[in-house]
Amino acid sequence: MASLAHSQLGLRNASPTAGVGWAARTVLTTAVLVATSAFAADTLDPNALKRLVHQDCGSCHGLSLKGGLGPDLRSETLEHYDAEVLTGVILDGIPDTAMPPWRPLISEEEAEWIARYLLEPEAQ
Amino acid sequence: MKQLILTLAATLLMTTAQAEPTATGDLGLVIERAKGSVLLVDQSDRAALARIEGLGDLSHASLVYSPDERFAYVFGRDGGLTKVDIVTRQIVNRVVQAGNAIGGAISDDGKLVAVSNYEPGGVRVFDADTLEMVADIPTDSKTIGLVDAPGRRFVFTMWDTGETWIADFSNGDPAITKITDMGKNPYDALITANGRTYITGLFGEDGLTALDLWAETPEPIRVLPNYGRGQEEMPVYKMPHLEGWALTGREFVLPAVGHHEVLWIDSDTLTETGRTKTHGQPVFAMARPDGRQVWVNFAHPLNDTIQVIDSVTKEIIHEFKPGPAVLHMEFTPRGHEVWISVRDANKVMVYDTQTFEKLREIEADSPSGIFFTARAHRTGL
């Protein structure tokens, strides 16, 4: 069965290449969000999301999340942040840094799940 | 008694096997990133020979070879520097030299091994025999793009400060030349096979920056200054690698940052000669050793695909999906075959580069980088 994360991420296959206009991107983003909302929160696939965090976030933050080009994301480092703040950073990135917005690839529910996972890895 | 005979027989067999001299010229190592092991492979037999374990965190690991192709120096993300003997198939030395490392290089004479570190930021240089530290070069920055250059030199670049330093070890203690103003947030760099041109890719501004290492005082040379990384259009989910640089005839091929294309650059004039649209954001653009083809893999979530570009027409001549999470490619030294690591299939796949036929699948545990010993004789690899 295709995991939620992967089926959503698979939408990128349809994404146009560089040079596409702002409007087209908005349409694409909307399409992604509509597709996202089709999945209820109870269909989140924790294993797929954990894999995303360690393998893909991990390409900058390290497989074990202890940092790389991007900062340390271990729970003891992040504990003074609220889950909402982290969710916002995941969805919208940090301007003028290498942290990209993940909104085109994941849903808000998935971003919230990832934020909670980073703060309490054991609880998820 | 039967047990004893079997044991004796096994011992005799082992002794015979070990009495054979081991030629290493067609061997290689595959990083098994999750397990912290490396897989010793034989390129001619298309087979795995042995697994060597205990190398720590090997996510984003790489390695270099000693000039005699016997020892590999493996650079782990956790700061581990491990010396592996591929003849006896064991770890012969290991130091944890920093908290967070990104890559390494070996000097042209094979005597010094350098490691670039994120934390603490800088470069540390070790005696290749003993792994004793011979120089510590703090840079106050995450340090990337470390390569060896002719004349017992190492060249490396700082992500935070945008400087490139040349550390010259030809007279023992390193003489450091600092080149400022390389650009904002360089993320990786390459050196050409002749050791002359060093190019950094920039994340924080448009274009790339080159240095002519043959110049008396190398100055930053802007390359494609109007070529935007395009963060607004296309967020970057994985930084491309420049170490897999490709020289085809007189052109370089570079993966574009944040665009679905590769860039062709004239190696003499450093001006753009073309672009080829690709399936996704390229991670590696690797030329077959003869330069006739360029093989490209892509960032998540399009990382199941490879495209092959003809370097004469600059057109895509083949596209296929080896499997989930294609992380790396390594050509045989003359380019007749290519080995491809497919992480989530737990396989290394071997292809014929003329017919594109799959020749073999080799089991490996979350394979990433593949490194054949022929790299021992190449500058910058």
Side-chain angles (χ1 to χ4, degrees):
Chain A
M1 192 190 94
S3 68
L4 173 59
H6 284 139
S7 56
Q8 276 207 29
L9 299 174
L11 288 174
R12 286 277 291 179
N13 287 325
S15 98
T17 50
V20 75
W22 180 86
R25 275 196 306 284
T26 307
V27 170
L28 174 71
T29 307
T30 309
V32 172
L33 287 175
V34 169
T36 300
S37 59
F39 296 93
D42 60 356
T43 61
L44 287 177
D45 180 341
N47 288 330
L49 288 169
K50 279 182 201 172
R51 182 168 200 92
L52 176 80
V53 168
H54 291 278
Q55 301 294 349
D56 296 299
C57 304
S59 51
C60 280
H61 298 281
L63 191 68
S64 57
L65 306 182
K66 68 181 205 178
L69 203 55
D72 186 335
L73 295 185
R74 288 174 294 185
S75 54
E76 57 266 36
T77 317
L78 293 179
E79 63 189 358
H80 55 284
Y81 288 104
D82 293 335
E84 283 167 35
V85 172
L86 296 180
T87 304
V89 169
I90 294 165
L91 287 171
D92 298 318
I94 303 176
D96 299 321
T97 74
M99 178 64 187
W102 287 80
R103 198 181 284 279
L105 297 186
I106 64 175
S107 70
E108 292 192 13
E109 289 78 12
E110 287 171 319
E112 283 165 14
W113 188 96
I114 291 169
R116 289 196 306 272
Y117 173 68
L118 292 175
L119 290 169
E120 291 183 81
E122 306 309 323
Q124 299 296 329
Chain B
M1 187 62 196
K2 191 178 172 190
Q3 189 62 43
L4 179 64
I5 290 168
L6 279 175
T7 310
L8 274 174
T11 309
L12 282 172
L13 278 174
M14 272 173 59
T15 311
T16 317
Q18 284 179 358
E20 285 290 315
T22 303
T24 59
D26 61 354
L27 301 186
L29 290 169
V30 178
I31 304 286
E32 295 186 304
R33 68 203 296 266
K35 245 187 186 157
S37 52
V38 290
L39 196 64
L40 179 66
V41 294
D42 185 314
Q43 186 202 112
S44 310
D45 292 347
R46 301 188 196 119
L49 303 178
R51 175 171 284 128
I52 299 153
E53 296 177 311
L55 287 84
D57 177 358
L58 293 185
S59 58
H60 209 288
S62 62
L63 60 86
V64 296
Y65 287 103
S66 62
D68 62 4
E69 298 186 1
R70 174 167 181 177
F71 298 105
Y73 300 89
V74 184
F75 310 103
R77 183 35 101 51
D78 59 359
L81 166 59
T82 310
K83 183 175 179 179
V84 174
D85 183 336
I86 63 176
V87 172
T88 62
R89 304 176 181 183
Q90 60 190 4
I91 292 171
V92 289
N93 204 345
R94 175 171 160 83
V95 294
V96 176
Q97 54 84 41
N100 200 323
I102 188 62
I106 187 164
S107 58
D108 53 4
D109 61 359
K111 304 285 192 206
L112 301 172
V113 174
V115 191
S116 59
N117 295 315
Y118 283 157
E119 184 55 48
V123 169
R124 287 180 169 161
V125 181
F126 298 84
D127 181 296
D129 262 346
T130 62
L131 299 192
E132 275 173 42
M133 188 158 76
V134 297
D136 184 11
I137 308 171
T139 59
D140 294 324
S141 165
K142 288 170 183 165
T143 302
I144 54 98
L146 169 65
V147 300
D148 58 288
R152 219 176 192 229
R153 292 180 297 170
F154 293 108
V155 186
F156 45 92
T157 296
M158 276 50 94
W159 162 266
D160 301 295
T161 58
E163 295 184 2
T164 293
W165 293 7
I166 302 168
D168 183 335
F169 283 83
S170 57
N171 293 313
D173 286 340
I176 310 275
T177 303
K178 299 180 183 181
I179 295 127
T180 56
D181 196 27
M182 291 292 285
K184 189 178 174 201
N185 289 147
Y187 63 87
D188 198 8
L190 64 85
I191 189 168
T192 52
N194 63 359
R196 176 169 186 176
T197 310
Y198 181 84
I199 300 181
T200 62
L202 301 177
F203 181 82
E205 64 177 80
D206 290 354
L208 308 117
T209 307
L211 289 177
D212 179 357
L213 298 177
W214 288 6
E216 196 65 37
T217 43
E219 302 279 345
I221 302 163
R222 301 289 166 183
V223 181
L224 310 191
N226 300 315
Y227 185 78
R229 154 178 89 73
Q231 187 189 27
E232 298 307 318
E233 284 85 3
M234 203 65 83
V236 177
Y237 294 105
K238 170 134 182 61
M239 295 285 178
H241 278 259
L242 295 183
E243 66 202 51
W245 69 281
L247 182 63
T248 65
R250 50 178 295 162
E251 290 165 307
F252 299 112
V253 189
L254 296 173
V257 190
H259 293 275
H260 291 198
E261 55 193 19
V262 296
L263 307 174
W264 301 78
I265 297 171
D266 183 289
S267 59
D268 288 337
T269 62
L270 299 178
T271 53
E272 181 180 336
T273 54
R275 298 178 187 187
T276 302
K277 293 279 177 204
T278 54
H279 177 63
Q281 291 183 5
V283 175
F284 282 101
M286 318 267 274
R288 199 172 66 178
D290 66 347
R292 182 62 203 268
Q293 296 174 351
V294 178
W295 291 53
V296 187
N297 73 332
F298 303 100
H300 173 90
L302 302 178
N303 56 1
D304 60 346
T305 301
I306 282 182
Q307 287 182 318
V308 182
I309 305 171
D310 180 294
S311 61
V312 176
T313 63
K314 300 187 173 62
E315 285 174 5
I316 289 161
I317 53 169
H318 187 59
E319 175 177 327
F320 65 110
K321 293 185 188 300
V326 172
L327 293 196
H328 195 232
M329 299 168 273
E330 176 86 333
F331 290 94
T332 55
R334 298 202 194 181
H336 69 303
E337 293 175 8
V338 63
W339 289 42
I340 296 172
S341 53
V342 189
R343 184 192 67 206
D344 294 348
N346 291 309
K347 284 187 170 69
V348 172
M349 299 183 182
V350 184
Y351 289 84
D352 184 304
T353 61
Q354 285 293 343
T355 64
F356 306 119
E357 180 193 353
K358 193 196 298 183
L359 303 171
R360 187 69 57 89
E361 291 186 351
I362 296 166
E363 300 290 329
D365 193 83
S366 292
S368 59
I370 305 169
F371 303 87
F372 290 143
T373 52
R375 286 173 172 251
H377 313 297
R378 299 273 308 276
T379 294
L381 291 182

